[in-house]
Amino acid sequence: MTRALSDQRFLAIRSLVVELSAAFDRVERHAAEESVELDDDIRWRLLAEAVARLAAGPGRVEAVQELFSDAYEPAWRQTGGPELFGSPGCCGR
Amino acid sequence: MNYVDPHIHMVSRVTDDYEALARMGCVAVSEPAFWAGFDRRSADGFRDYFRQITEVEPRRAAGYGIAHYSWLCINAKEAEDVKLAREVIAAIPEFLSASNVLGIGEIGLNKNTRNEATVFLEQVELAVRHNETILIHTPHLADKLRGTRMILDMLADFPALDRGRVVIDHVEEHTIRPALDAGYWAGMTLYPVTKCSPERACDLVERYGTERLLVNSAGDWGPSRPAAVPDFIVAMRARGHAEELIERMVLHNPLELFSRCRRYVPPPRIGNPLQRTTSS
Ligand SMILES: [Zn+2]
């Protein structure tokens, strides 16, 4: 049997996609109940963009990882400045 | 299968974990110096911690037939206090001759701040001065990509540094390539929520090969699984990978890295499997 899409792998990925779908619905449902405006939340916009990148094709994991990353400025030592130091982060840590 | 966990903080784990690791085939662990979950108030606090990871943990591990190695440094989080960091850096040479010490680590960046970069550079200089191997922590989430690239930029200023004696740890899909391309070792950390999962670590082995690649649990006081390396072994087997390839990842590679430290003594329970492999 091919390992590319074995039954076991199909079930594992199916489970991930179902969990992901339920998680997005859950956030929207709770946001509606609590009158929270999700579109004002950068984290929600990042998650929505991540799903779009997921649908886009090969190279998904790098595309999603880069989406969740602070920008890297190769000249950080020359240009200096506090904006290049310290991470704003996106998860409130 | 015999295996090594090259990054685990046993000071944060109970003795039952040593027993569980031994049951699963763990022959050696290496413990980088890290943030213990609270900021220490003095260099003497670090001296006590260095005694713990060079004297106490090796004894606990030996009770279960596990060799215990360690790395010394001031971690990136506490490096924000540069004055204290410099006192700790000055104290490190007192412990460098301990028989289980593999080098300087886990130094690195946490929030990619100027102070962190200053203390990182001073510890790379310390390692170069003492001809020590280096283990480097890269940041956790949104700051990982930028922090990893900043670390590689700073290391590039040390042209004489032997890249084969330096580990860039906690790599993921977006940071593994620059680390390996520059000749460094790369460590994949298997965590429940952040960092890598066993399946994604298998993907990276399939995509990048086994050369200079390590897999670890980074088990500590937070959500983490000390048995993550055995989870990786099981995931690799489920994909049909050869035992030889898996053993290279979890046993031969970490021991090859450790052997680049001049104080290295192979784990007593298994001796030197690298020699057996090359002669057979
Ligand atoms: Zn660590």
Side-chain angles (χ1 to χ4, degrees):
Chain A
M1 185 183 61
T2 171
R3 67 176 182 168
L5 193 56
S6 61
D7 285 347
Q8 192 185 20
R9 196 170 276 178
F10 167 74
L11 287 173
I13 299 171
R14 175 187 180 280
S15 159
L16 290 171
V17 174
V18 171
E19 281 294 329
L20 189 62
S21 308
F24 273 79
D25 283 350
R26 186 181 312 133
V27 172
E28 282 181 329
R29 182 161 50 84
H30 288 176
E33 287 169 13
E34 296 161 11
S35 302
V36 169
E37 193 50 68
L38 279 176
D39 288 338
D40 295 342
D41 190 328
I42 178 66
R43 298 170 303 167
W44 178 250
R45 295 202 301 271
L46 283 172
L47 289 171
E49 171 62 19
V51 172
R53 292 189 183 192
L54 186 64
R60 294 170 182 86
V61 66
E62 282 84 0
V64 167
Q65 289 276 29
E66 281 163 20
L67 173 70
F68 289 121
S69 296
D70 301 335
Y72 160 68
E73 167 56 65
W76 63 276
R77 282 179 295 185
Q78 286 78 47
T79 51
E83 72 278 6
L84 288 176
F85 297 94
S87 171
C90 71
C91 298
R93 288 174 303 119
Chain B
M1 178 181 287
N2 285 340
Y3 79 92
V4 173
D5 192 336
H7 187 146
I8 186 165
H9 301 286
M10 294 307 295
V11 296
S12 302
R13 310 300 314 188
V14 296
T15 301
D16 287 359
D17 287 341
Y18 273 120
E19 185 178 357
L21 296 185
R23 280 183 203 278
M24 286 182 285
C26 182
V27 295
V29 294
S30 97
E31 173 148 9
F34 82 141
W35 186 58
F38 63 98
D39 290 349
R40 282 153 282 207
R41 291 177 296 181
S42 68
D44 278 341
F46 282 87
R47 283 191 177 88
D48 286 341
Y49 173 52
F50 295 155
R51 282 179 50 225
Q52 190 177 12
I53 62 176
T54 58
E55 297 173 19
V56 180
E57 290 306 323
R59 277 202 299 273
R60 283 177 87 204
Y64 296 91
I66 295 174
H68 181 284
Y69 304 97
S70 59
W71 309 72
L72 306 175
C73 77
I74 177 150
N75 61 85
K77 198 168 166 67
E78 284 167 287
E80 201 50 45
D81 181 344
V82 177
K83 181 175 171 289
L84 173 62
R86 287 186 172 139
E87 289 170 19
V88 176
I89 293 170
I92 288 171
E94 298 166 25
F95 297 87
L96 279 179
S97 57
S99 61
N100 78 325
V101 172
L102 293 176
I104 300 298
E106 57 187 302
I107 57 172
L109 298 176
N110 179 52
K111 288 290 183 188
N112 305 331
T113 68
R114 192 181 294 273
N115 285 350
E116 290 170 13
T118 299
V119 173
F120 171 77
L121 283 169
E122 290 182 15
Q123 295 194 94
V124 174
E125 285 161 8
L126 173 78
V128 168
R129 239 181 359 258
H130 290 268
N131 192 24
E132 295 292 344
T133 51
I134 304 176
L135 179 66
I136 299 175
H137 164 95
T138 56
H140 299 276
L141 292 166
D143 29 28
K144 181 184 292 291
L145 178 63
R146 178 194 285 174
T148 303
R149 301 301 296 262
M150 288 170 72
I151 285 167
L152 295 175
D153 288 345
M154 289 188 278
L155 291 174
D157 288 346
F158 294 84
L161 189 67
D162 179 353
R163 318 280 148 185
R165 298 179 69 215
V166 179
V167 186
I168 308 292
D169 215 336
H170 315 317
V171 299
E172 293 180 45
E173 292 87 350
H174 53 322
T175 57
I176 184 171
R177 186 188 290 280
L180 289 175
D181 282 356
Y184 301 104
W185 288 77
M188 302 180 291
T189 295
L190 310 180
Y191 260 13
V193 181
T194 61
K195 302 189 170 73
C196 269
S197 63
E199 288 295 338
R200 284 168 50 220
C202 296
D203 293 336
L204 291 175
V205 173
E206 290 170 354
R207 292 176 58 192
Y208 292 92
T210 58
E211 198 179 339
R212 285 181 282 111
L213 200 51
L214 302 166
V215 59
N216 64 65
S217 73
D220 61 8
W221 46 264
S224 51
R225 291 189 310 266
V229 177
D231 291 348
F232 168 82
I233 294 170
V234 169
M236 288 286 284
R237 280 184 182 144
R239 293 194 190 189
H241 287 297
E243 292 293 294
E244 210 180 3
L245 182 143
I246 303 172
E247 195 176 47
R248 171 142 194 226
M249 278 300 300
V250 302
L251 184 70
H252 297 178
N253 276 5
L255 294 183
E256 188 188 330
L257 167 73
F258 297 173
S259 72
R260 296 183 183 188
C261 168
R262 63 188 181 285
R263 286 174 300 269
Y264 171 72
V265 177
R269 194 156 75 71
I270 60 161
N272 188 350
L274 305 172
Q275 249 162 22
R276 280 205 301 279
T277 315
T278 44
S279 61
S280 64

